Amino acid sequence: MHADPLPRTARIPGSKSITNRALLLAAAADGTSTLRAPLVSEDTLAFRKALTDVGATVRAASDESRWTVTGLGGAPRGGGPVWCADAGTAARFLPPFTAAGRGTYRFDGSAQLRARPLQPLVDALDRLGAIVRADGGGLPLEITATGLDGGELDLDSSLSSQYLSGLLMAAPLLRTPLTLRPEGLVSRPYVDMTLALMRCFGAVVDAYADRVTIRPGGYRPTALDIEPDASTASYFLAAAAACGRAVTVPGLGTGSLQGDLRFVDVLAKAGARVSVTAQGTTVTGTGRLRGGFDVDMRDISDTFMTFAAIAPLADAPVTIHGIAHARLKESDRVAAVAANLRACGVRVDEGTDRITVHPGTPAAARIACRRDHRIAMSFSVLSLASGVPLALDDPACVGKTFPGFHAELGRVFPDLSPGGTGAPGAPGAADVSGVPGAPGGSGGSGARTSVEEGE
């Protein structure tokens, strides 16, 4: 491996977390907002469609580089069905938004989304005065709304930070102030992002260590530039660290609202050189990936898979902990990573909230993506960095957050595609069949237990 003399630039699409929050806040505002460089993916398009179903107007530029949102001047009125598809943010953010308005709203989504828990949010809306009917604590869910009063509320936030974010964004639309006290909060950076964006749209927020108070007043329209997605950037930055190359992500720097940018601290611990400036972030691999340490990735759990996937290439074992909440995402991500690494012949020790990956040379295998975009992208990086063909059983699942992922990985690292067949998971690589050692299981778990966070 060698370091490139000049960094290559990765073209990372907009943040999903920021795009969907900004869409909701713009839909609630009294006037017209402009979102520049939004993420265009399955999740954000589903969220956008759901907002139009409840009455907001969203117009896209011909090249999708700009979305213009005409807000409702408050919460929705009228009711109707709301289809969330696979988008967890739609299922967590939109029920409080509609509960603050009027009408009967019926939420549903894919089988994968139905398996993800909503009970803490259901309980909170019930205590605030909404009439909520939920099937087993998740979707399908029906809300009969006549507006909400505020008050004080303790909120179980140990399953997901999205419940808190959804209630916070609805709070300025309530009749009286709302004070929320999160209990067992996971993924605080996402909540900080929510509060920062609410302030951008004019909300009055009083945030303390143990509680947040939001006063009524609604939102004002604004123009917002969506920064690149830090979780998506992690794959390209990890590839640079593992391949001894240099990669820059412009527009993702010191002013970022996204906690997942702290992933570069993990790469630095593993021996990469990291530079974060106001203009962007650059990671340079040094030709050696260091192991021999433990790292807590509780607050940046959407990137734990990225690091776990390249960990076999380190010179000593790596333990990632604080990730129990990743077991109830699009898939049980801890189990999915462990099973796929074992299919590649890599030794893995797995615990409830941890995974230890030992050094090893990956063998060719078929990767079970479990309809999870982050599994597909993470193992594409391992294939690239190891030079070993790893065939994804569902390469198209990356469309949830980055439809152009495979093409961009191949563009940034054109000389490193395994077997010369293009980026891992691209046509040709994905069609490989009969590879031994495929791990079992697909789709999301049907259980509504354990914990979950992230976007």
Side-chain angles (χ1 to χ4, degrees):
M1 293 189 294
H2 63 281
D4 282 348
L6 293 173
R8 304 181 183 191
T9 298
R11 300 182 298 217
I12 305 300
S15 163
K16 182 186 80 169
S17 300
I18 296 176
T19 298
N20 280 354
R21 283 167 172 79
L23 272 172
L24 188 148
L25 298 174
D30 187 9
T32 299
S33 299
T34 301
L35 309 184
R36 292 185 287 262
L39 172 64
V40 182
S41 73
E42 291 171 3
D43 265 15
T44 59
L45 293 176
F47 199 99
R48 187 177 83 177
K49 174 63 166 59
L51 282 174
T52 63
D53 287 344
V54 300
T57 301
V58 184
R59 293 185 175 85
S62 59
D63 61 355
E64 297 279 358
S65 64
R66 184 179 67 259
W67 292 351
T68 302
V69 184
T70 302
L72 299 170
R77 296 174 178 268
V82 182
W83 178 250
C84 300
D86 275 343
T89 49
R92 277 72 178 276
F93 294 171
L94 296 179
F97 181 44
T98 57
R102 295 189 176 275
T104 297
Y105 302 86
R106 292 174 294 277
F107 293 86
D108 206 352
S110 66
Q112 186 184 56
L113 190 57
R114 281 187 172 196
R116 298 173 69 177
L118 288 176
Q119 193 64 56
L121 184 60
V122 170
D123 292 342
L125 291 174
D126 180 71
R127 280 178 281 163
L128 289 172
I131 299 172
V132 185
R133 299 177 184 87
D135 180 13
L139 297 179
L141 179 150
E142 183 179 277
I143 292 177
T144 300
T146 56
L148 296 176
D149 291 318
E152 297 191 5
L153 193 66
D154 296 328
L155 180 69
D156 178 1
S157 302
S158 63
L159 300 182
S160 173
S161 64
Q162 290 177 0
Y163 310 135
L164 179 57
S165 285
L167 289 165
L168 287 170
M169 287 188 287
L173 311 178
L174 273 53
R175 289 184 284 257
T176 58
L178 176 66
T179 295
L180 292 167
R181 288 186 294 268
E183 297 176 339
L185 177 61
V186 293
S187 202
R188 177 67 193 231
Y190 283 108
V191 176
D192 293 338
M193 174 197 297
T194 298
L195 295 174
L197 288 168
M198 289 172 62
R199 291 185 179 105
C200 284
F201 281 83
V204 179
V205 177
D206 296 319
Y208 306 94
D210 62 341
R211 69 191 187 282
V212 182
T213 297
I214 311 292
R215 283 170 268 177
Y219 293 104
R220 63 170 180 258
T222 192
L224 186 70
D225 293 311
I226 309 295
E227 63 186 70
D229 192 290
S231 305
T232 300
S234 74
Y235 309 111
F236 295 84
L237 300 175
C243 298
R245 303 296 175 88
V247 169
T248 294
V249 179
L252 183 67
T254 52
S256 174
L257 297 178
Q258 300 172 80
D260 277 2
L261 182 55
R262 287 158 48 191
F263 177 71
V264 298
D265 297 337
V266 181
L267 295 180
K269 198 175 182 71
R273 294 197 301 271
V274 173
S275 171
V276 183
T277 69
Q279 288 72 43
T281 295
T282 300
V283 168
T284 304
T286 58
R288 171 178 173 238
L289 205 61
R290 271 201 312 260
F293 60 87
D294 292 9
V295 58
D296 185 345
M297 299 186 73
R298 174 185 175 90
D299 281 344
I300 55 171
S301 66
D302 274 357
T303 63
F304 102 80
M305 295 153 287
T306 316
F307 190 61
I310 63 170
L313 309 180
D315 59 10
V318 170
T319 296
I320 302 168
H321 58 89
I323 53 174
H325 45 273
R327 288 190 176 275
L328 201 63
K329 294 284 290 179
E330 284 85 342
S331 67
D332 178 339
R333 286 175 165 170
V334 181
V337 168
N340 280 309
L341 285 174
R342 290 180 183 127
C344 297
V346 174
R347 179 186 164 193
V348 178
D349 303 321
E350 178 187 349
T352 302
D353 81 333
R354 66 172 180 83
I355 187 170
T356 299
V357 181
H358 296 262
T361 301
R366 189 169 180 84
I367 301 302
C369 297
R370 306 191 185 197
R371 291 189 60 220
D372 192 329
H373 55 132
R374 300 210 183 281
I375 298 298
M377 290 191 269
S378 296
F379 280 87
S380 293
V381 176
L382 175 60
S383 183
L384 185 85
S386 66
V388 175
L390 301 178
L392 307 180
D393 68 352
D394 184 12
C397 70
V398 301
K400 183 174 174 70
T401 49
F402 189 4
F405 169 79
H406 299 302
E408 182 64 4
L409 195 66
R411 186 193 69 79
V412 176
F413 302 98
D415 57 324
L416 295 180
S417 298
T421 58
D431 293 339
V432 176
S433 60
V435 179
S442 63
S445 165
R448 287 193 177 115
T449 56
S450 189
V451 290
E452 172 186 13
E453 68 165 24
E455 301 291 298

